[in-house]
Amino acid sequence: MTSIQQNEELKRRIWQIANDVRGTPYGQKTVNKVYDPAAGSGSLLLQPKKHMDDHLIEDGIFGQEINHTTYNLARMNMFLHNVNYD
């Protein structure tokens, strides 16, 4: 397994664990917001968009990052994946 495949598998497992703790969004009709308080490069913020239709996330995807360089990397990541950001 390559490092890229391992990274994707890790993200998938973290997404599953988060859903097991909070309840799976697949049974819900909508999700109000998606928030990551330590967003880093924003890769985990992209998981809900990858696994759910756009219309299911009502108020958007939000994240914060204290490091300015990493914050800008997350903004680029959102832009490249067509996710609205502020």
Side-chain angles (χ1 to χ4, degrees):
M1 187 180 287
T2 67
S3 62
I4 293 173
Q5 290 171 328
Q6 288 175 337
N7 191 16
E8 288 299 316
E9 178 65 17
L10 177 62
K11 285 191 266 185
R12 187 184 67 75
R13 286 185 182 184
I14 290 172
W15 175 251
Q16 285 178 334
I17 291 168
N19 287 329
D20 289 343
V21 171
R22 295 185 197 114
T24 180
Y26 298 114
Q28 299 174 342
K29 293 185 180 188
T30 61
V31 173
N32 289 337
K33 298 176 186 168
V34 176
Y35 175 67
D36 185 357
S41 66
S43 62
L44 283 177
L45 284 172
L46 294 173
Q47 295 304 306
K49 182 170 174 51
K50 185 176 180 180
H51 295 285
M52 296 189 298
D53 294 331
D54 288 337
H55 68 279
L56 294 179
I57 304 171
E58 292 180 341
D59 294 332
I61 298 174
F62 302 92
Q64 67 184 27
E65 177 58 44
I66 196 166
N67 183 309
H68 293 290
T69 303
T70 311
Y71 168 76
N72 288 326
L73 180 62
R75 289 179 60 199
M76 282 192 320
N77 206 359
M78 297 297 118
F79 175 78
L80 291 173
H81 287 89
N82 199 27
V83 175
N84 190 18
Y85 64 90
D86 260 336

